Amino acid sequence: MDGSKSPTLPDDATLTEAGLAPAARGRVLLLACGALAREILALIRANGWEHVDLACLPAILHNTPEKIPQAVREAVERHRGAYQAIHLVYADCGTGGRLAALCEELGIEMVPGPHCYSFFEGNEIFAARAEDEFTAFYLTDFLVRQFDAFVWKPLGLDRHPELRDAYFGHYEKLVYLAQTDDPALDAKARECAARLGLAYERRFTGYGDLARELQAWLGE
Amino acid sequence: MAEEDDELILSELDDEELVQQMHDDLYDGLKEEIEEGVRILLERGWEPYKVLTEALVGGMKIVGDDFRDGILFVPEVLLAANAMKAGMAILKPLLAETGAPKVGKMVIGTVKGDIHDIGKNLVAMMMEGAGFEVIDLGINNPVENYLEALEREEADILGMSALLTTTMPYMKVVIDALVEKGIRDNYIVLVGGAPLNEEFGRAIGADAYCRDAAVAVETAKQFIARKHNQMAAG
């Protein structure tokens, strides 16, 4: 799966803070969260979807979901004239249904499910597990790589490690839902779990419902 | 912290300066300084309720306003809350002794399947600071927990919290159970949590959605006042 390294893929910090501008080619635009850029580019390449372009919003919007709908609206308005179709590669992502309502208003499709870690695992499987696993804290490949930017620093744990249990005291384990087989990421995720004082579990998901959804949108 | 702050001796400040300094210390999350300030004010003969409202709640209001306005973030609010909690721990037994006003009673808890309690804890603390008695059911509460506590405590208000879009619909399960038992109108139902909004609150049959702890306190006070007026009129 690691044909994902693309010359057009920015580094993770850029995807977190700035996102990705489209290459201005193709007829269909995937408007996505920056946390999904690597996986989407890998799927575009693996499937030979030459007609597809990718634009990403800053992944750090994950931490302020109330800002996602407006950012999506502005991006759709900005890019709409240049493409025949736009698909939104976001799940609900903590927007409480507001993103789905916006998609309906704009007439575009989005990925079903509550979060990326749900559709990577497969929404049905994730939902079935959720009843028994609500004390789990989830990370994906991207979130493992960007753990400090998404978790440690925004929660102030770099400055106030004593707050850890206020945030994570009721959690029991960190579940790393792995898109790729990467021993270095496995080791880093294990270290993240230790820093949060949680047990560790790794589950390989591949691209899950993301691959299926993109195939349904873009496949011949 | 500037060096001059390190040299500040709280007991040498007059009342007004000390309260101002406590607001600053609360803002900076300085737990020990808050404890010291509370003790000094009590030694000077301040009523515990006055210490609570003027020094602690007044300071926390500034923290809440700056959080709402995007000036402060969750870590700073948590540190401030920890400092306030330490001050309240000193005051709580004294408040009971001195007959501080009791505005009403609230049962509060995070809904089933959800373990997030930072917002809920802040609401509970600010409600206590405003004179409400708070029964905190903690996290992951099934409908039975709420019903049992509301009845046992003869509560006025039910507060429910959820952080997840997957768990917030459970609030409707609880409200529907109240309706089914014919006791919905006995309680003021307030809901809150990051993914909620006013529309959701209305749709599930809550009395109000509260976007933060300060709003929860103000909303609770308004509903309690309305309830009292209705009782007086009736």
Side-chain angles (χ1 to χ4, degrees), chain A residues 92 94-98 114 134-136 154-156 159-160 162-163 166-167 170-171, chain B residues 74-76 78-79 82 113-118 139-140 165-166 168 194-197:
Chain A
D92 180 67
T95 63
R98 274 166 275 189
F134 58 84
T135 56
L155 295 181
R159 291 161 285 134
H160 302 288
E162 73 275 16
L163 292 179
Y167 295 116
H170 297 306
Y171 282 92
Chain B
V74 172
E76 290 78 23
L78 269 179
L79 290 167
N82 285 345
D114 203 320
I115 58 171
H116 300 93
D117 62 357
I118 289 176
I139 56 166
N140 187 28
T165 50
T166 47
M168 64 188 211
L196 280 69
N197 54 38

Side-chain angles (χ1 to χ4, degrees), chain B residues 65-132:
Chain B
D65 288 349
D66 280 3
F67 176 65
R68 181 197 63 208
D69 296 341
I71 297 163
L72 285 183
F73 297 95
V74 172
E76 290 78 23
V77 175
L78 269 179
L79 290 167
N82 285 345
M84 173 156 169
K85 211 168 159 186
M88 280 178 75
I90 300 169
L91 295 172
K92 231 171 164 178
L94 305 173
L95 286 167
E97 284 170 21
T98 51
K102 285 205 176 72
V103 185
K105 196 185 247 192
M106 178 189 221
V107 164
I108 190 169
T110 304
V111 298
K112 186 180 173 187
D114 203 320
I115 58 171
H116 300 93
D117 62 357
I118 289 176
K120 185 264 296 169
N121 293 344
L122 278 173
V123 171
M125 189 181 75
M126 293 305 284
M127 290 291 287
E128 281 191 331
F132 286 86

Side-chain angles (χ1 to χ4, degrees), chain B residues 12-24:
Chain B
E12 290 177 357
L13 301 176
D14 67 28
D15 286 5
E16 196 180 325
E17 288 168 338
L18 177 55
V19 168
Q20 188 55 50
Q21 184 59 41
M22 287 175 73
H23 288 180
D24 291 348

Side-chain angles (χ1 to χ4, degrees), chain A residues 121-174:
Chain A
E121 183 160 48
N123 283 321
E124 279 186 29
I125 300 169
F126 187 85
R129 283 188 200 269
E131 292 242 334
D132 301 319
E133 209 174 53
F134 58 84
T135 56
F137 183 73
Y138 298 100
L139 294 179
T140 61
D141 282 12
F142 183 85
L143 291 173
V144 170
R145 289 195 301 268
Q146 287 286 287
F147 179 77
D148 283 318
F150 275 77
V151 180
W152 201 252
K153 286 180 187 164
L155 295 181
L157 294 171
D158 52 337
R159 291 161 285 134
H160 302 288
E162 73 275 16
L163 292 179
R164 185 186 76 173
D165 290 346
Y167 295 116
F168 293 97
H170 297 306
Y171 282 92
E172 291 175 352
K173 64 178 173 179
L174 183 151

